Amino acid sequence: YLNTLLCHVLSMSMVVFGFPPNRLIAQEINAGGQAIEGQRMGVYKPYASDILESPDFKVAGERGNYDLVEVSVRSLGFDKNTRYDVICARALELGLELCPAEVGPQLRLQYKDQPSGEYLIVAMNAINDSDGNPRVFRVRRDAYGLWLGTSYGRPDREWVPKSRFVF
């Protein structure tokens, strides 16, 4: 998500960071203050439910807003498959921040008009699933509906240039 200064000057961030205007998409979500359990959304099992049930998954105590930015691996300057840790490091260099894990399910609940076929990876510190594998949330819409899933969140996991992340 964006740091406080960038929240107020999003249009300038396109110039400062060199993101093409059509590649930088901002979205605001509300989070915190409410449990995720019992919310109606499609959850891929077992891994997304593993993360939601993990003691490492935290919900902020107070309600607040997160200004999110969606970027592709290519828009971060990579034209070939790139490791997750390198993608995150580049985003941090550009002033973006990793999302709290809670952003994944909140984005899924609030991004109801997501285009069919689109999936977004939530850039976050990975949480281990029940098999001990690090996972990050994935928000997807397919022919069957809106889903919260996961992808491997290992630092060495490589992503193709068209992969889209939310920071």
Side-chain angles (χ1 to χ4, degrees):
Y1 62 102
L2 292 171
N3 66 32
T4 305
L5 175 62
L6 293 178
C7 291
H8 301 293
V9 290
L10 180 59
S11 61
M12 286 188 62
S13 69
M14 292 179 204
V15 175
V16 172
F17 297 146
F19 288 121
N22 63 341
R23 296 303 226 175
L24 185 65
I25 300 168
Q27 181 169 345
E28 181 180 76
I29 65 163
N30 296 306
Q34 70 180 36
I36 299 299
E37 299 83 20
Q39 301 289 328
R40 297 184 56 88
M41 71 177 133
V43 176
Y44 283 115
K45 294 186 178 185
Y47 302 119
S49 56
D50 281 356
I51 291 178
L52 290 171
E53 295 167 5
S54 169
D56 294 328
F57 178 79
K58 307 279 190 237
V59 173
E62 292 185 25
R63 199 119 175 99
N65 294 330
Y66 291 98
D67 293 304
L68 305 177
V69 175
E70 176 189 330
V71 294
S72 69
V73 172
R74 180 171 284 116
S75 69
L76 290 171
F78 303 110
D79 290 326
K80 61 181 182 172
N81 292 1
T82 306
R83 290 169 48 118
Y84 182 58
D85 58 349
V86 174
I87 292 166
C88 292
R90 174 68 56 86
L92 293 173
E93 288 172 10
L94 296 174
L96 302 176
E97 298 176 10
L98 296 179
C99 295
E102 158 180 36
V103 164
Q106 289 295 348
L107 181 59
R108 172 61 296 139
L109 289 167
Q110 296 173 45
Y111 187 22
K112 297 179 192 292
D113 61 344
Q114 183 177 17
S116 185
E118 178 185 77
Y119 74 91
L120 301 172
I121 305 302
V122 177
M124 58 182 262
N125 289 319
I127 296 176
N128 288 344
D129 63 23
S130 58
D131 295 330
N133 296 309
R135 298 260 180 188
V136 294
F137 283 119
R138 180 183 66 232
V139 175
R140 177 179 180 175
R141 180 181 200 141
D142 63 20
Y144 302 101
L146 301 168
W147 296 94
L148 178 68
T150 65
S151 292
Y152 283 116
R154 293 186 320 264
D156 64 343
R157 163 54 152 110
E158 291 191 344
W159 295 90
V160 298
K162 69 179 184 175
S163 298
R164 301 198 61 80
F165 286 81
V166 174
F167 288 91

